[in-house]
Amino acid sequence: MKMRETGLALGGGAARGWAHIGVIRALRENNIRITHIAGTSIGAFVGAFAATGRLDDLEREILAFDWKQGLGYFASVPSRTGMLNGRRITDFLGEHLGSINLTETRIPLRTVATDLRNGNEVVLHDCGLIKAVRASIAVPGIFTPVEHNGRLLVDGGLVNPVPVNIVRQMGARHVVAVDLNRVSDDPNTPILKSEDPNVLEIIGASANIIEAGLTRSRLAVDPPDVLVRPRLEHISFLEFNRGQEALQVGYAAAMRALADQAG
């Protein structure tokens, strides 16, 4: 392969985002050095660990993750602007990543958020790392928005689910993009898994539908050099306890995509 250095665009997809870890493992096994990372939502979350050299810590945590822990992270007192204030996730990030700035990561990192007041895409590049991740994962209605420089920031998946253009703007010569929101080619495959869904499942399925369509449009205009699309339709928005499975699917999908590119 000619592509021995690459930028990485990590897309949103909630619990499916653990597949990003498998993709990064595949790149490393192929001796591909990651030079830049841009992430949206869960892509920003995983990207922060990769950019700081702490991906092994995250992998250990998610492989030990069970449904009871998941419920703990989604237990919070609702506020006027969201069901969750994100404090437990913020504490988790602080415990593993510390209080560094985005400018201090080993690999240059950008996270994508949406300004809820005007709908503009906001690329965070010079603020606290935890704030940058927290803003990017703030799914409207679930997590409270993040105030930053007069903006009210929410999930970047509303405007840029797979930020290929951001990685290119950062200076990456080649780009590998990971799309987690692929909708099955089989029309009989349900997006909403539960027959009696709760509000979180409804929000997650709705986000999947919207982001899948937006991703197709964005990638048609700005395609990456390698597109990794793990088959993750069977893992729902909230199944964070299926980390091992998602990681393996991501790894296998990346190995196939790299082999196709090399061939």
Side-chain angles (χ1 to χ4, degrees):
M1 287 180 60
K2 297 179 181 179
M3 195 181 66
R4 289 302 175 192
E5 295 185 342
T6 187
L8 191 56
L10 300 177
R16 296 171 180 175
W18 301 146
H20 289 316
I21 300 173
V23 172
I24 295 170
R25 294 292 182 215
L27 293 176
R28 290 177 177 173
E29 286 188 18
N30 281 273
N31 297 316
I32 297 172
R33 185 172 72 90
I34 300 169
T35 58
H36 306 80
I37 301 173
T40 294
S41 199
I42 193 67
F45 188 98
V46 176
F49 283 84
T52 55
R54 292 180 171 89
L55 197 65
D56 289 343
D57 294 343
L58 179 60
E59 183 173 342
R60 280 193 295 271
E61 290 284 352
I62 69 104
L63 292 182
F65 202 78
D66 59 30
W67 68 270
K68 290 183 179 179
Q69 286 177 292
L71 286 177
Y73 281 100
F74 283 92
S76 179
V77 178
S79 77
R80 188 171 58 87
T81 58
M83 290 187 289
L84 307 174
N85 60 22
R87 185 170 299 164
R88 292 207 56 185
I89 290 177
T90 299
D91 290 344
F92 178 89
L93 291 169
E95 177 185 348
H96 291 281
L97 302 178
S99 58
I100 68 172
N101 193 282
L102 270 172
T103 59
E104 300 175 295
T105 56
R106 295 184 186 180
I107 301 172
L109 172 69
R110 303 287 185 270
T111 73
V112 181
T114 304
D115 187 342
L116 196 58
R117 292 193 169 99
N118 56 27
N120 290 339
E121 177 181 306
V122 177
V123 180
L124 296 166
H125 61 90
D126 187 11
C127 67
L129 178 58
I130 294 173
K131 174 180 264 192
V133 173
R134 174 65 179 81
S136 189
I137 67 172
V139 179
I142 296 181
F143 289 107
T144 55
V146 173
E147 291 271 4
H148 179 64
N149 290 343
R151 296 184 171 116
L152 192 65
L153 302 181
V154 295
D155 194 335
L158 296 177
V159 290
N160 197 349
V162 185
V164 174
N165 63 315
I166 305 305
V167 184
R168 294 200 192 282
Q169 291 168 15
M170 293 172 71
R173 296 178 59 192
H174 306 284
V175 177
V176 172
V178 188
D179 172 20
L180 305 176
N181 287 305
R182 174 176 180 166
V183 176
S184 176
D185 298 327
D186 181 357
N188 295 316
T189 301
I191 295 174
L192 187 62
K193 308 300 181 185
S194 174
E195 292 295 329
D196 185 23
N198 60 42
V199 64
L200 294 177
E201 292 168 330
I202 290 170
I203 291 173
S206 301
N208 189 182
I209 293 168
I210 294 168
E211 291 185 16
L214 182 54
T215 297
R216 285 193 296 269
S217 299
R218 300 277 313 222
L219 294 182
V221 173
D222 193 4
D225 297 281
V226 176
L227 178 59
V228 181
R229 303 184 75 195
R231 299 301 300 260
L232 295 162
E233 299 94 329
H234 58 292
I235 297 179
S236 71
F237 181 71
L238 296 177
E239 291 183 307
F240 290 96
N241 58 307
R242 297 176 71 176
Q244 178 71 61
E245 186 178 354
L247 191 154
Q248 291 173 344
V249 172
Y251 175 87
M255 294 296 277
R256 288 193 301 270
L258 292 171
D260 291 344
Q261 197 271 349

